[in-house]
Amino acid sequence: MNTLENSSKTGVKNLWKEWDEIHQIHTTIFSTDTTIKSDETNSFFKKINIMDLEKRKEVYGVCGECNEPGTGWCWCQSCNAKRFKENFKNWTSGNKNIDELIQQSQLDALHTFKCLEWIPFEKFKNVTYITRGGFSKIYSADWPEGNIEYWDIENQEWVRELNVKVALKSLDNSSNMSNDFLNEIKYYISGHFSCVNTVICYGMTQDPDTQNYMMVLQYYESGNLRNNVMNDLVEYKIKIPYLFWIIDGLSAIHDAGKVHKDLHSGNILVHRRLILISDLGMCQSVNDNERKGIYGVMPYMAPEVLRGYQYTTAADIYSFGIIMNELMSEEIAFNDIPHDRTLAVKICKGFRPKISEDTPKLIGNLIIKCWDAKAENRPTAKELFQLLRNYFDELNEEVGEIYSQIEECEKIKENKLKNRTKENKPKNLQTHPQAIYTSRLLNFKNLPEPVNSIDYLSSFQEPISSTSANPISERLNYELSELDLNQDDIF
């Protein structure tokens, strides 16, 4: 059964309860100063001690060897660091930079998911090619030995999660090792990003045939969001939580002073009832302007980025707006036209995907705000986080305008499905051969100045511009202005 379909049957209340429990665990694990700069990784790990020792003892218990409070579930950082260090002489990747990265992660790891390993390729079974991304190839594999979970003091050995299925991500020409490759791994294990909302990296290996290095990542059976959005059985009451989880992950990235730079539905993975952000290889500091050229998937790229301007957090928000609309409409953005210069010109002139008539108006107007032609008019991730959290709460309590709108939209959607069934019309799944959904280098010259359009909306409401009087849009402006942006008080 499709994961999103399965989730819709559980009900939004169960989803919220489950997510809230996971978030509480995450909050406890990462109870540290979130203002630490990205280049202070080592000091970040040292600051675990700002969590009260008694609190750590209560949550994680006491280490059976050193009698100090644990730093994670069945994990003592200082004792495990000694064990790892003693084992450094027994392995090597053949690359000094990779060895140092893995060793440092093992010394610093506060819990198992921040601990990398060097995994010889022969440890994997049933290696199978899955797909190609913009700069990498993805394989699935079985890992019988599995990842480290904790140290068994009585038997003096690592306890592992056996028979783990993993994804192997091989970056092109990584035998030469690029900073992008190393940076992506650093971001996966960084204390800045949530283990709930970003993909787990178990370690690294090397393809013996190509000599390319490969990241060993958690495998997600349900694939990416793009492969799931065409599912007609997904209720809107479930879609709102998924949007919330995506913006929660993106907010963590932005709070760390980073931009994702390649956010699209192919990089959003579905795992049971959770949504996770992947492909952090292009993730960079907000002020990092060194990368030459424009990389990305065109339908998700903000007009200012297409014109060659610096990628900002506001550009990530534009991408999120496109993802929001895909999930709501269950249509892939611009899947029926070529992704060429003509489309880039049209995007700069205000061309956007259609907003379905069965999209709640509050969400539809929020989508419009996210893909505003002017970056400064787009909401921040933190604003979106709190607004979607409010909607999530209203759905959970079955109150409020968003709940009423979704009830109406479910009826519209149900009628559409009935009519399609009567007419025996399958959903259009055709994609134009020149619609490219992998990241690539783009180079467009002399694109027009970005403007908003009044022509891209469907019949879900009267066409509006960003300056037109519109009650729903005005309410969103009010809600955004009234938000208390102290995120620490939310949970």
Side-chain angles (χ1 to χ4, degrees):
M1 181 180 290
N2 182 288
T3 292
L4 292 179
E5 175 186 347
N6 187 41
S7 296
S8 69
K9 296 180 183 295
T10 67
V12 68
K13 289 187 176 182
N14 289 341
L15 272 175
W16 175 239
K17 181 181 179 182
E18 181 173 337
W19 185 90
D20 206 26
E21 290 174 352
I22 294 173
H23 195 282
Q24 292 296 334
I25 296 171
H26 153 67
T27 303
T28 302
I29 293 173
F30 295 104
S31 297
T32 54
D33 186 356
T34 58
T35 63
I36 300 168
K37 296 180 181 178
S38 60
D39 60 352
E40 294 178 344
T41 305
N42 291 339
S43 64
F44 172 85
F45 288 109
K46 293 174 183 176
K47 292 190 179 183
I48 187 67
N49 288 321
I50 72 170
M51 181 193 290
D52 183 78
L53 288 177
E54 289 303 315
K55 178 67 173 177
R56 280 173 49 196
K57 188 182 297 184
E58 176 187 339
V59 174
Y60 302 127
V62 173
C63 174
E65 293 180 309
C66 68
N67 208 35
E68 291 294 322
T71 57
W73 181 81
C74 290
W75 198 273
C76 175
Q77 188 230 351
S78 60
C79 290
N80 288 342
K82 294 174 184 176
R83 275 184 279 273
F84 284 126
K85 190 171 184 178
E86 290 173 358
N87 193 48
F88 286 171
K89 62 182 180 295
N90 295 326
W91 62 267
T92 180
S93 68
N95 181 286
K96 182 174 180 290
N97 291 330
I98 292 178
D99 284 355
E100 290 178 351
L101 175 61
I102 293 175
Q103 290 171 2
Q104 196 62 53
S105 79
Q106 293 180 349
L107 295 175
D108 291 338
L110 303 175
H111 56 88
T112 179
F113 293 132
K114 298 304 178 185
C115 170
L116 298 175
E117 294 185 71
W118 174 252
I119 310 163
F121 193 80
E122 60 267 23
K123 295 280 190 179
F124 300 107
K125 308 298 180 185
N126 304 320
V127 178
T128 305
Y129 173 79
I130 299 178
T131 189
R132 174 168 190 90
F135 312 101
S136 61
K137 293 179 182 177
I138 308 295
Y139 303 81
S140 67
D142 296 325
W143 185 17
E145 183 181 50
N147 60 288
I148 288 173
E149 286 195 305
Y150 62 91
W151 179 257
D152 183 338
I153 297 175
E154 182 178 349
N155 295 309
Q156 290 293 292
E157 63 182 8
W158 290 112
V159 174
R160 292 178 172 271
E161 182 181 357
L162 303 178
N163 301 315
V164 175
K165 188 157 189 176
V166 296
L168 304 179
K169 179 177 179 179
S170 173
L171 196 69
D172 297 342
N173 299 317
S174 62
S175 57
N176 299 321
M177 192 49 54
S178 68
N179 287 332
D180 290 341
F181 194 69
L182 291 173
N183 285 339
E184 178 165 7
I185 300 168
K186 290 177 183 177
Y187 294 144
Y188 282 130
I189 63 170
S190 167
H192 299 299
F193 300 161
S194 163
C195 62
V196 172
N197 300 96
T198 54
V199 174
I200 295 170
C201 182
Y202 296 118
M204 297 184 67
T205 189
Q206 187 175 31
D207 187 328
D209 296 325
T210 65
Q211 298 302 304
N212 284 333
Y213 287 100
M214 311 172 87
M215 278 179 274
V216 183
L217 304 168
Q218 187 175 7
Y219 182 81
Y220 299 94
E221 197 77 45
S222 298
N224 60 47
L225 189 63
R226 183 176 298 140
N227 295 334
N228 283 274
V229 296
M230 301 298 286
N231 181 9
D232 289 320
L233 298 175
V234 185
E235 298 178 10
Y236 285 97
K237 294 174 185 178
I238 304 303
K239 292 178 180 182
I240 302 299
Y242 283 128
L243 291 176
F244 174 65
W245 292 327
I246 296 169
I247 201 62
D248 181 43
L250 186 60
S251 181
I253 291 172
H254 289 182
D255 285 346
K258 307 288 184 181
V259 285
H260 188 285
K261 298 192 70 171
D262 195 25
L263 190 68
H264 55 81
S265 55
N267 283 342
I268 307 295
L269 302 182
V270 181
H271 180 59
R272 297 175 184 169
R273 299 187 184 111
L274 292 176
I275 298 290
L276 303 101
I277 296 177
S278 69
D279 275 6
L280 302 176
M282 291 175 63
C283 191
Q284 290 177 272
S285 170
V286 172
N287 298 318
D288 188 347
N289 209 15
E290 292 182 1
R291 183 184 294 276
K292 304 299 180 184
I294 303 168
Y295 293 84
V297 179
M298 189 184 298
Y300 306 85
M301 297 174 70
E304 71 271 13
V305 174
L306 290 172
R307 297 184 75 230
Y309 284 78
Q310 183 178 2
Y311 209 110
T312 65
T313 55
D316 277 345
I317 296 301
Y318 179 94
S319 304
F320 177 70
I322 299 295
I323 293 170
M324 287 180 72
N325 191 57
E326 280 190 350
L327 188 57
M328 288 293 148
S329 68
E330 296 169 359
E331 298 286 345
I332 306 302
F334 302 140
N335 71 320
D336 56 347
I337 57 176
H339 297 175
D340 54 14
R341 189 180 190 280
T342 299
L343 176 58
V345 171
K346 292 173 72 174
I347 289 173
C348 289
K349 290 185 176 181
F351 183 56
R352 304 287 188 270
K354 290 290 184 182
I355 296 178
S356 173
E357 64 179 350
D358 54 350
T359 297
K361 291 186 178 181
L362 282 170
I363 299 299
N365 279 277
L366 192 56
I367 291 169
I368 294 169
K369 286 183 176 295
C370 288
W371 65 33
D372 194 290
K374 292 185 177 181
E376 61 270 21
N377 291 342
R378 300 169 200 155
T380 66
K382 187 171 288 189
E383 290 173 331
L384 289 167
F385 174 92
Q386 294 209 16
L387 191 56
L388 287 169
R389 168 66 193 255
N390 292 343
Y391 293 164
F392 201 157
D393 285 341
E394 289 181 16
L395 288 178
N396 189 42
E397 298 299 325
E398 299 184 351
V399 297
E401 187 170 350
I402 188 66
Y403 177 78
S404 300
Q405 290 183 11
I406 284 178
E407 290 287 291
E408 290 300 315
C409 288
E410 291 287 5
K411 294 176 184 177
I412 297 173
K413 181 179 177 181
E414 184 178 347
N415 289 332
K416 285 171 62 176
L417 292 175
K418 286 180 179 177
N419 293 334
R420 188 186 301 159
T421 302
K422 287 179 181 179
E423 298 173 6
N424 200 26
K425 286 185 177 180
K427 199 164 189 176
N428 183 15
L429 300 175
Q430 293 183 344
T431 299
H432 194 282
Q434 296 179 47
I436 302 170
Y437 290 96
T438 55
S439 298
R440 56 185 172 133
L441 176 64
L442 302 171
N443 187 19
F444 301 119
K445 303 291 186 184
N446 302 317
L447 293 179
E449 187 77 21
V451 295
N452 287 321
S453 169
I454 63 171
D455 299 324
Y456 60 81
L457 299 178
S458 69
S459 59
F460 100 105
Q461 64 177 27
E462 291 297 319
I464 61 171
S465 70
S466 60
T467 57
S468 298
N470 180 274
I472 302 296
S473 186
E474 288 176 0
R475 179 193 160 170
L476 280 171
N477 285 331
Y478 174 77
E479 286 185 298
L480 288 170
S481 66
E482 290 297 305
L483 286 177
D484 177 7
L485 294 182
N486 184 3
Q487 204 165 357
D488 294 334
D489 293 337
I490 295 178
F491 298 99

